[in-house]
Amino acid sequence: MDSNYIKVFGGNSIAAKRVELALKENNIEPILKDETESARLAGFGTPLPELVEIFVNKDEEVRALAIITEIN
């Protein structure tokens, strides 16, 4: 399956929230994939606690990575 989105970040929920806000401030709309929250809602555990992945449109990858680098 081909996707127009690419992963630009993976980390704990606090760091992911910081990245998400910075991207939104720069008019980039990220998509968050939170396996921990999904597993909790389904009633399961997860082997990777606190792992949140952030995806952005491929056209915005370079800008997003520059913003994330600035934060770190």
Side-chain angles (χ1 to χ4, degrees):
M1 183 170 92
D2 191 27
S3 173
N4 287 330
Y5 292 90
I6 188 159
K7 179 181 167 184
V8 293
F9 179 81
N12 67 47
S13 59
I14 296 169
K17 191 63 168 173
R18 184 174 177 203
V19 169
E20 176 189 19
L21 291 173
L23 293 174
K24 285 183 175 183
E25 287 173 356
N26 287 278
N27 299 316
I28 297 174
E29 196 58 43
I31 295 177
L32 276 66
K33 181 179 176 187
D34 186 346
E35 293 291 344
T36 304
E37 184 64 10
S38 295
R40 184 190 69 78
L41 290 172
F44 302 107
T46 178
L48 302 170
E50 298 281 329
L51 178 64
V52 179
E53 297 176 322
I54 296 180
F55 295 82
V56 298
N57 192 296
K58 288 181 180 178
D59 296 339
E60 299 173 321
E61 177 186 10
V62 173
R63 279 185 39 220
L65 290 174
I67 292 165
I68 293 168
T69 302
E70 262 183 48
I71 292 171
N72 294 328

